[in-house]
Amino acid sequence: MTLEQIVRTVAREKGLSLGKFTVIMLERERHEIMLSTLRKLGVRIILIPDGDIAGAVVSCIPQSGVDLLVGAGAGPEATIAATAVKCLGGTMLVKVWKDKTDDPNRLDRLKQVGVNVNKTYSEDELARGKELVFAASGITKGELLDGVRLGPEGAVVRSICMRLPSGTIERSETELHFKRHPIYKQFL
C-alpha cells in the first residue's frame, strides 16, 4: 500500500476524518517525501527528534492523540517497540529500509545473520513469544513519558511497564533523594 492508502485505511478504521488523524514520525531528511504526502492529505503531524520506540507505543494507546507512526528507524528499536505494540494489542509492519546513501555492505551483513531484506515483518515476528514485558523510563520529555525532573533534593522519574498476556499497564513515578543515596549524593 502507498502511504496515502495506509493513512486513509487506518483513519477509516478508527472512524476519524483526515483532519483529525495524527501521524507521528522522526524528523529526518529521509522522510521528506512522506512528510510532503502527509501535508497534502491534511493530517496532523508530530515531528520528533528521536524516540521512535515511544512513537510506536503511543500510537497504540487509546486517547493518546496519536494514531499512526510512519518512517524509518533502526532495527533494534523496531524489535523493542514490537514488544510494547504486541503487549498493547497493536499492529506493526516493518521492512528493512533501503537507501542509496546507506552503507553498501549493510544489506549483505543483514542477510548473513538471517534477515530477509525483502520481507515485511509483523510485531509477532519481531517480538516472539506469548509472555512479554516492556518497561521504559523517561529520560527526556517525549510523547509517551515525561523526562527526568531535577529538583533541589533529587529527581523524579516516570516509568511505564506493560505485560502480555494480561495486557496490564503500570505507570509509576519514582522520587530519588540524592542526599540519602550512596551513589546519587555525588550529584548534589
Side-chain angles (χ1 to χ4, degrees):
M1 294 172 75
T2 66
L3 177 58
E4 181 175 349
Q5 291 170 323
I6 292 168
V7 169
R8 288 185 184 280
T9 300
V10 175
R12 183 183 69 242
E13 291 300 314
K14 287 188 158 201
L16 296 171
S17 67
L18 291 180
K20 294 190 178 191
F21 187 82
T22 303
V23 176
I24 191 168
M25 64 191 303
L26 290 171
E27 188 171 15
R28 298 289 187 269
E29 188 177 317
R30 65 181 176 255
H31 293 153
E32 286 300 319
I33 294 171
M34 285 189 276
L35 189 56
S36 175
T37 300
L38 294 171
R39 285 185 173 135
K40 286 177 188 168
L41 288 171
V43 299
R44 297 173 180 162
I45 302 166
I46 299 173
L47 295 172
I48 53 176
D50 52 33
D52 47 337
I53 294 172
V57 175
V58 76
S59 70
C60 295
I61 296 176
Q63 308 306 318
S64 70
V66 177
D67 300 300
L68 179 67
L69 167 75
V70 297
E77 284 82 351
T79 303
I80 295 167
T83 301
V85 168
K86 192 170 173 179
C87 286
L88 292 167
T91 301
M92 185 171 166
L93 298 174
V94 177
K95 283 186 85 166
V96 172
W97 181 259
K98 298 172 188 169
D99 190 11
K100 295 175 190 127
T101 63
D102 217 355
D103 170 5
N105 298 316
R106 179 176 148 263
L107 295 179
D108 289 334
R109 287 193 306 271
L110 288 171
K111 289 176 189 175
Q112 287 173 1
V113 295
V115 175
N116 181 340
V117 298
N118 298 309
K119 178 181 168 88
T120 299
Y121 290 90
S122 71
E123 71 282 353
D124 288 324
E125 293 167 299
L126 294 170
R128 295 180 185 219
K130 295 184 186 327
E131 295 180 12
L132 300 172
V133 175
F134 171 87
S137 294
I139 305 301
T140 59
K141 183 169 179 50
E143 296 299 319
L144 178 63
L145 293 164
D146 224 359
V148 173
R149 299 286 182 202
L150 294 171
E153 300 294 321
V156 176
V157 179
R158 289 177 182 81
S159 304
I160 190 168
C161 179
M162 51 194 75
R163 293 187 293 278
L164 186 71
S166 69
T168 300
I169 301 171
E170 297 175 41
R171 290 176 176 83
S172 66
E173 181 175 285
T174 303
E175 291 182 25
L176 302 169
H177 299 279
F178 291 171
K179 275 186 187 176
R180 294 178 276 187
H181 195 283
I183 296 173
Y184 298 139
K185 66 182 176 185
Q186 68 184 337
F187 296 112
L188 287 174

